[in-house]
Amino acid sequence: MREQVPKPVPIIEKLAKYIPGYGGYLERGTRRTADQALREAIAGQLSGPKAAVERLIRDRTKAGDLDAIDPLDRTARRLESLAQSLRAAGSGIDAFYGAGRLDDPKADTLHTLDLALFERVDELKTMAGVAEFDGKIDKYLGDLEAKLAERGLLLQGIR
């Protein structure tokens, strides 16, 4: 009798396109490593928006707009904190990664959250060059922080 191999989840395929090494998630032994690679890739993407905020700080300082510096500095620290949180986030319980089935609803939820995190950071990175960037960044960061918290609860088995 022929053993059925789980069909790749389309979300995994999408993530694998964006993040080198994430395709390894399909193999049981590399799931935790692929998860860490994903979080590192997302955290790395935050360096672009952080650099844009730092440029805004320099520009506002040169223009003498010192009232704008504190909020921008808080945003830069928030970006750095989010990047550190992504890198340090736990990978979940071993049972989650040892599961043989990738079509498990929790796995699908995890991959959906992963993709949402990646896409949101990508949007943030894209808009880092537009004039309204500093007015919208707090909403983006709030969304990212909420998604990361939701992901953490899922991996802890709470959600």
Side-chain angles (χ1 to χ4, degrees):
M1 185 169 214
R2 211 168 112 195
E3 184 180 318
Q4 286 188 342
V5 177
K7 192 173 165 187
V9 179
I11 296 167
I12 293 175
E13 291 173 5
K14 223 175 194 182
L15 285 165
K17 234 176 34 176
Y18 294 126
I19 296 137
Y22 197 78
Y25 198 94
L26 298 173
E27 299 171 22
R28 263 186 177 177
T30 60
R31 289 181 190 166
R32 188 175 299 276
T33 303
D35 175 65
Q36 290 168 343
L38 170 72
R39 288 183 287 110
E40 182 60 43
I42 294 171
Q45 294 292 317
L46 289 171
S47 64
K50 184 176 177 215
V53 170
E54 289 168 347
R55 276 191 303 278
L56 283 169
I57 290 171
R58 284 191 303 274
D59 293 347
R60 301 281 163 79
T61 301
K62 286 178 186 174
D65 186 6
L66 302 180
D67 292 336
I69 304 304
D70 280 343
L72 288 170
D73 188 51
R74 280 192 297 275
T75 299
R77 286 193 313 265
R78 195 171 170 194
L79 280 161
E80 183 58 35
S81 175
L82 183 57
Q84 288 174 358
S85 294
L86 279 159
R87 288 182 177 107
S91 294
I93 59 174
D94 288 337
F96 189 89
Y97 289 95
R101 295 184 44 193
L102 288 176
D103 59 347
D104 181 289
K106 282 191 178 188
D108 196 37
T109 302
L110 174 67
H111 302 310
T112 301
L113 285 168
D114 287 344
L115 185 58
L117 278 167
F118 188 86
E119 289 176 340
R120 201 66 172 161
V121 169
D122 199 44
E123 289 170 16
L124 184 62
K125 195 173 96 177
T126 300
M127 71 177 283
V130 301
E132 303 83 29
F133 172 69
D134 60 331
K136 295 180 180 178
I137 192 169
D138 284 332
K139 180 187 180 325
Y140 275 79
L141 291 176
D143 290 349
L144 284 167
E145 290 161 345
K147 290 285 183 208
L148 185 59
E150 188 178 349
R151 185 181 195 281
L153 291 175
L154 174 71
L155 287 175
Q156 291 174 21
I158 296 171
R159 184 173 175 272

